[in-house]
Structures are given as C-alpha cells and as structure tokens.
Amino acid sequence: MSHTEAAKKPLVLRNANFRRLWISSTAGIFGTAVTSVALPVIAVTELDASNSTVAVLSGMTFLPWLLFALPIGVLVDRHRRRPLIVVSLAVRTLLLASLPVAWWLDVLTVTQLFAVSFGAGLAAVFFTLAEQALVPAAVDRDELVEGNGLMTGSGALGDAGGRAVGGWVTDAWGASNALLLQVAASLASLTAILRLDVAEARPDRPKDRRVFRDMGEGLRYIFSTVPLRMLLITGALWNLGGNIVVSLLVLLVIRSLGEHPGMLGLLTAATAVGGTVGGLSAKWITGRLGSGRVWRYSMFPVVAGYATLLFITPGWGMTAGFIGLFIAGFSIALNIVVSTTFRQRVCPPQMLGRLGSAQRMVTWGMLAVAAFAAGLLVEVMDIRGAILTGILVAALAPLAAVFGPLRRVRDLEDLEPPRTEGPAGTRTETGLHTS
C-alpha cells in the first residue's frame, strides 16, 4: 500500500501505538464515568449525606491536581511515562474496588468515600499527565489535531456510555456494586497500555535534583506567552463556574426533582454524547472557521446549554436539559481539542509533563475549588440559585476570550514559534512572539 493510501486511513487504524493509547484512554474514561455517577449516588442514597457533603465530594477527585500536580509533572518528565501509567492505573483500581467490598461488609462510611475519591484522584494525576505526554510520541506532528480529536471524541463517547450504563447499573445493582464496572474497565485499560510499543529514551535527570526549580519552570512556561496565558485564564474561569453547576446536578436531579439515578446518568451522558460529536468534528470545523475563532466562541453555547438546567422539571420536562447538555458537550470538546493541540505543538517534548501539570494545577484545581464553593452556596441559597451563580461565573470565560488580546486571531497556529534547524539537523523552537 502506498504512503498516500495509508494516510487516507483513519489514524486509529494506521497507527498501532496510537490505537493502543486510544483504547487505554477510552476504557479508562468509561470506568471513570461510571464512578462519577456512582460516588455521589452512594453519598445521597446509601449514606444519606448532607447537601454540602455531596457537593464537596465531587471536588475530592480534583483536589490532588491543586496540591500535587506540579511535583508529579516533574516526575513525569524525569521518568518513562508508560510504567507510571501502569502503576497508577493499578493503584486506582484497587482503591475503587475497596468501596463495594466495604459495602458488602456493611462498614462503608463517608470518610472512606472521601479518602478513596482523593486517592483515586491522586493516581489519576499520574496517568493523565503521562498519557498526555505520550500522545506526541505516538503520532506525527501533523497528526496531532486528528489524534486529539479522536481521543476527545471517543473519550466523550466512553464518558457517555459510562454515565448511561453507570446510571442503569446503579439502579439495578446498587451504587456501590456499580463500581465493579470500573474495575473491569481498568483491566482493559491496563491490557492496552501494556501492549504499547513507544520507544522512550531514559530522560536525563538533573544531578542536583532541584525539583522546585523544575516546578517553577513549568509555572513560568504557562504564563510565558499571551496565548498560553489566555488559554489558562479562560480554562480556569470556565472550570470554576462550570463545576459549581456539575457538583450540584446530582442534588438537583435526585433530591430536588425526585428522579432516579438512571435519569441522572442519562442526563450527564447527553454532555458526553455531544462531546463525541464535537471531538470528531473538531478537525473539520477548525479547518473552516479557524482554531482561534473556535476557541473564542465555543464557550458561549456551553453557558446557554447549562442555563437550560434552571428550567428542567420531572418527566418530559427533562428534555430541555438533555438538549442543553448535548450542546454544552459538543462545544466543550471543540475548545478542548483546540487548546490541547496548541499546547502540544508549542511545548518542547521535555517540558510536556511540567506544562500539563502546571496548566492543570490551575484549571483542574479550580474544579476542586468549585466543589467547595458549591458546598457553601447550597448552604446559603437553594439549589437552583447556586447553579445560577455557577453559570454567571462560567460566562466570564467566553467574555475574556472575545474581548481579550487574541480577539482578532483566526488561527492559533499562526502564533506558534518559528521552527529552525538546530545542530546536527535537530529542530528547535525560538519562543512565541505575540503582542
């Protein structure tokens, strides 16, 4: 088969290493989606936790990003990524498997639920950063948009399936028993990553072991240019407001509207289905509209989609929420593909772990802050009022993008640093130059 004919095949078929990474990621996201439905339902229905406790619980998975992302990013850059993924996936699986066991023994407590959520989140920091850093090694530079689109789209599909199945299994088996699906998905993810055949040279480890210096380099890098700063600011604002909404969704659907966990799973799956379509459409849409425009305007439909939650009612009244969350998921996926691709293209390979950790410490750390904020809001106002507050905060993100310094940029790729030939034919980048 000629090179041209091979290139016409989808990336997942023509690149075995990307396919294995893709399978591992998608299976892992499926299991995580099941867990994201089951954990708050365990708190609400099996442990009868308070509203503020349920809201805060959703942030425990993301708290490790705020506390430990920077040093873990340094470790990812100093070690081979594949072994880190294997170990962290195994640890996370064992932690989550302890919950159904504790339920069977009638010893499950809110304290264990919080501890397992935090520990599973800590393991996720390791394998998420390592996986993200492996993508550029598994594909060519010109395949990054396609690769990230496939990862985002199929990940959203796995998320949709996991949430829908998780909601159904939670109804049928019980919330704690539903976590057995997470165990099965993690085993599939481990099997795929063990077959990965990406050549990883042993990273050069500084003799001085100055971890704080390397952490500082990652932080400085994400603030070093206007495009990276704006991606960071908008991502942080969006996650702060958006996760206030998401943290309260279980309370709105189950406690306020009196719906069953299966409906919660289907409602959140609508976001993931939209994300699947958005991720798979990202290459086509950015090619026609420009990645800069897509990044700026994709967050407005998300705000509108989340606003539909203020008007949902039991039964057929949930339809507006399904439509709104589908639109939200579609637009979020476009934004993620554009942002992730730009960072991967401009970042030197040896900095990918630190860039990812510094960026997610801020943006994903906001998910934890948002959950704590949701816990406070739901104590001083009703659930819908707290959701409205989150929507208003999230709306600051697209406003910052549209009126910010990148408001006239059609393609973010135009802001990439020039690539020049270095010694011995190596490629080097000179840094971004933007006003």
Side-chain angles (χ1 to χ4, degrees):
M1 179 181 295
S2 70
H3 177 75
T4 302
E5 291 174 337
K8 291 180 180 179
K9 283 188 173 183
L11 181 61
V12 74
L13 295 180
R14 69 177 184 265
N15 187 322
N17 277 322
F18 176 79
R19 181 167 61 249
R20 291 159 187 157
L21 197 61
W22 172 76
I23 291 173
S24 176
S25 175
T26 305
I29 289 172
F30 174 88
T32 299
V34 172
T35 301
S36 69
V37 173
L39 286 182
V41 174
I42 290 172
V44 171
T45 63
E46 296 181 353
L47 300 178
D48 196 27
S50 67
N51 284 351
S52 58
T53 298
V54 175
V56 172
L57 175 64
S58 67
M60 294 305 295
T61 301
F62 298 103
L63 187 58
W65 287 96
L66 188 63
L67 301 178
F68 303 115
L70 284 178
I72 291 174
V74 174
L75 291 174
V76 167
D77 280 339
R78 291 186 175 189
H79 295 81
R80 292 191 177 104
R81 280 75 184 254
R82 181 173 168 274
L84 287 176
I85 296 175
V86 171
V87 173
S88 56
L89 275 174
V91 169
R92 187 170 187 269
T93 302
L94 291 174
L95 285 171
L96 290 169
S98 73
L99 293 178
V101 173
W103 175 250
W104 299 335
L105 298 175
D106 197 26
V107 295
L108 182 62
T109 64
V110 171
T111 300
Q112 183 182 356
L113 203 60
F114 271 72
V116 168
S117 296
F118 183 86
L122 183 60
V125 177
F126 279 96
F127 69 71
T128 301
L129 291 176
E131 177 186 89
Q132 184 185 44
L134 273 179
V135 172
V139 302
D140 293 334
R141 181 181 175 85
D142 293 338
E143 295 174 329
L144 277 173
V145 171
E146 184 180 1
N148 284 319
L150 284 168
M151 294 282 275
T152 302
S154 64
L157 183 60
D159 192 31
R163 290 176 186 275
V165 172
W168 177 79
V169 171
T170 296
D171 270 343
W173 297 358
S176 293
N177 292 332
L179 292 175
L180 295 175
L181 287 177
Q182 163 72 57
V183 176
S186 293
L187 291 175
S189 185
L190 274 169
T191 300
I193 209 69
L194 286 170
R195 298 185 62 213
L196 190 66
D197 188 25
V198 172
E200 289 191 86
R202 184 178 295 276
D204 293 329
R205 301 180 189 175
K207 295 180 180 179
D208 55 19
R209 302 282 182 173
R210 292 169 62 181
V211 174
F212 287 103
R213 182 199 63 188
D214 287 354
M215 288 165 54
E217 286 180 355
L219 270 177
R220 285 193 297 273
Y221 193 84
I222 62 169
F223 288 103
S224 63
T225 68
V226 171
L228 289 175
R229 283 198 297 273
M230 288 307 300
L231 264 60
L232 184 73
I233 291 169
T234 55
L237 286 172
W238 172 255
N239 284 349
L240 177 59
N243 205 50
I244 289 175
V245 177
V246 173
S247 298
L248 298 171
L249 189 57
V250 62
L251 297 175
L252 176 66
V253 173
I254 294 181
R255 282 196 172 156
S256 181
L257 300 180
E259 289 285 354
H260 53 84
M263 181 62 76
L264 174 67
L266 290 174
L267 187 63
T268 56
T271 307
V273 172
T276 301
V277 179
L280 297 177
S281 305
K283 183 178 180 181
W284 183 85
I285 292 174
T286 56
R288 280 152 181 77
L289 301 181
S291 57
R293 291 172 179 167
V294 170
W295 170 74
R296 283 196 301 278
Y297 296 110
S298 59
M299 288 177 282
F300 283 108
V302 187
V303 175
Y306 275 5
T308 62
L309 296 174
L310 298 172
F311 307 103
I312 60 175
T313 57
W316 285 103
M318 301 291 289
T319 303
F322 282 104
I323 296 172
L325 291 185
F326 175 89
I327 293 170
F330 179 89
S331 302
I332 289 171
L334 292 179
N335 195 276
I336 289 173
V337 171
V338 169
S339 302
T340 302
T341 299
F342 180 76
R343 292 189 188 99
Q344 289 173 338
R345 288 174 68 101
V346 302
C347 182
Q350 69 274 14
M351 282 283 294
L352 279 169
R354 280 168 285 175
L355 170 68
S357 65
Q359 178 258 328
R360 293 188 178 188
M361 181 197 74
V362 178
T363 57
W364 286 23
M366 284 297 103
L367 298 174
V369 174
F372 285 94
L376 293 174
L377 288 170
V378 81
E379 288 294 315
V380 299
M381 60 180 70
D382 63 20
I383 294 172
R384 290 181 191 267
I387 289 175
L388 175 60
T389 302
I391 292 170
L392 293 176
V393 173
L396 297 175
L399 293 175
V402 168
F403 294 105
L406 304 184
R407 59 187 177 274
R408 295 187 179 91
V409 176
R410 184 188 187 278
D411 295 292
L412 292 180
E413 292 80 4
D414 294 339
L415 305 178
E416 290 183 35
R419 294 169 63 81
T420 59
E421 294 293 335
T426 59
R427 305 281 285 181
T428 61
E429 296 184 348
T430 61
L432 295 178
H433 301 281
T434 59
S435 57

